[in-house]
Each structure stands twice: as structure tokens, then as C-alpha cells.
Amino acid sequence: MDRFVVTSFNYLAASLVSIVIIGFSDLRLSLLPSSFTIEELLSVIPPPGEITDPRGSLLWALIVGVPAGAFFFLAFIYYQKGIRENGAGLAGAFSKIGILIPMSVSIVLWNEIPTIFQAVGIGLSIISILLVNISPEKLDPDEMRPTLLGLFLFSGLAEFSNKVFQKYGLIEDKMVFLFFVFFTAFLISAAFLFWRRRRPVPQEIFTGLIVGLPNLFCSYFLILALDEIKASVVFPLYTATTIVIINIGGYLIFKERLRKKERFAISMIVVALVLINLS
């Protein structure tokens, strides 16, 4: 299937569902201005602390959500380039270790210091991510650096955007933020699809619409988690668990056998998940 078609309808589905949820909620979208001055825009960018004004929170959702949508789309593009140039294993690994960006910034800027047990669990989860996806013989810095660096950067910035909104915006406005994220990504993806002049087929449309729902709610629950748990704990837990689910699903549904290295890495992930959840 054409990935731009699937991606466009994925983002469209996420945007439409977010609009429906906003419509049934008590969000006062009328507080969001149709236009604003540079001075008003700069006044909303928060100092350390949270935005408590509902109007400012909605404007913050727009300010963070639009570039976040671009990061989501760029991460997708670089992921495809990374697979083509370096293989799925390396591309997946560099996409996943993008969590180091929001983790590191959260520790430095917001003093979200993990406990000793959690730090050990975080370290184990990162090692396991690399162990599952990277073979040392494939590491050639001259060939992989530009694309995989872009993948690492944009994947990390996409996840960091969720943290930035959670940190300063009102949590009840999270769905408005996600609408701006996915609608921006949809507009960019649709523009590429229109430029390529390829006619979608029903299977691609259906797949994209179905994928859009978990895509939306993944970010939705990630923001809720970040509101209650340190980012240095949430991101490695979120990423390591993804590897476990993918491998279990691959075995049960597609009968994919795990290599000894992968079984060892998943065992490390289980230990890491226990340690990360210890207070």
C-alpha cells in the first residue's frame, strides 16, 4: 500500500475523532482567538510553571501543536528513508532512542530525577532497545549518520512536544492540542499526496482510518501519563513495552521466531519494567 495514502487518512481519522470528542466536551473553543498579535503570542509563552488561564492554554495548544504536527510527519519521512537506507532494525532503534531527548530535557529543566531503581531500569530498557534493533556489524557511521540522525531528532522532538504541552498547558485541553498536531500532519501529508497525484484505493483508505485511532489515543494517554509520572520514567516504559508487545504479537499472529539475542533483550525489558515501577 502507498504509505502517503495510509498516513494521510491516518491523520485525517485522528483529526476527525479529536473534533468529535471536543464537540462532546465542555471546551470553550470560542476563547481561542481567530487572530492575535506577536505581543499576545509572546505573552502566552510561559515562564517556568503552568498556564492557568483557559484562553492562554488553548493558544498554547496551537503554538505547540502546529510544529509538533510537522515533527510527527518528518519523523515518518525519515523513518521511511532510514528503513530504505539502513534497514528496519537500525531505523527502529534510532526512532525509539529518540526518547532520550524528552527524558534528558525533563531531568535538566524540570528536575524530574528518577530513583536509583528507576535509573537502573531506564538504563536496562535503553540497552534492550539497542540490543533488539542493532547489530554491531551494521554500524557504518559514514553511511547511516545523516538520515538516522534526522530520525532520532524528529522522533525525539515529536515526543518532547507532548511533554511541553503537558508541562505548561491545562490538561483538559489535551484533545485540542492533539487536534492541532494531527490536523497539521494531515495537511502536510495530503499536500505530498496531491503533489504525487496518486489515486487512493479503498484498502489504503480503510487501513489509514483504522490506524488513526490508536495513533490518536497513544498520544492522548501518553499526555495523561506525563501528568502523573516523571517523563524520565514514562518514555522508557512506553518504548520498552512497545518492543514487548510487537514481539509477542509477531510470535502469536505471524509465527515469527525470536533469536537468542531478542529473547535475552525482552527478559531485560521485563526486569526494567519492574524496576521502573518501583518508587
Side-chain angles (χ1 to χ4, degrees), residues 182-233:
F182 289 110
F183 188 65
T184 300
F186 164 71
L187 292 178
I188 298 172
S189 184
F192 274 88
L193 185 61
F194 177 79
W195 176 71
R196 294 172 71 244
R197 299 187 181 278
R198 187 187 182 282
R199 186 172 183 176
V201 299
Q203 183 184 10
E204 295 169 337
I205 295 173
F206 178 76
T207 302
L209 294 175
I210 294 299
V211 170
L213 297 179
N215 198 358
L216 170 67
F217 286 106
C218 176
S219 294
Y220 177 86
F221 287 111
L222 179 62
I223 291 174
L224 288 181
L226 289 169
D227 196 49
E228 300 180 9
I229 309 171
K230 297 172 184 175
S232 58
V233 174

Side-chain angles (χ1 to χ4, degrees), residues 114-121 275:
T115 65
I116 294 177
F117 285 115
Q118 290 171 338
V120 173
L275 292 173

Side-chain angles (χ1 to χ4, degrees), residues 40 46 70 84 108 150 163 174 177 206 208 220 233 237 246 261 277:
E40 184 178 16
R84 184 173 66 249
V108 173
K163 176 61 182 177
K174 58 187 174 297
F177 163 71
F206 178 76
Y220 177 86
V233 174
L237 181 65
I246 288 174
K261 178 186 72 172
N277 280 281

Side-chain angles (χ1 to χ4, degrees), residues 47-126:
E50 295 184 354
I51 295 175
T52 56
D53 173 61
R55 186 172 182 274
S57 179
L58 289 174
L59 190 53
W60 185 242
L62 173 64
I63 293 171
V64 180
V66 171
F71 293 145
F72 270 63
F73 178 76
L74 286 170
F76 164 77
I77 293 298
Y78 274 89
Y79 185 61
Q80 299 309 311
K81 284 172 61 66
I83 289 175
R84 184 173 66 249
E85 296 173 9
N86 301 281
L90 276 173
F94 275 78
S95 174
K96 291 178 179 66
I97 64 174
I99 62 168
L100 292 174
I101 292 177
M103 281 171 52
S104 303
V105 175
S106 296
I107 291 173
V108 173
L109 291 186
W110 301 307
N111 200 33
E112 296 188 359
I113 308 297
T115 65
I116 294 177
F117 285 115
Q118 290 171 338
V120 173
I122 291 167
L124 284 177
S125 67
I126 293 173

Side-chain angles (χ1 to χ4, degrees), residues 146-158:
T147 297
L148 293 183
L149 180 61
L151 175 58
F152 167 79
L153 177 64
F154 291 121
S155 296
L157 288 174

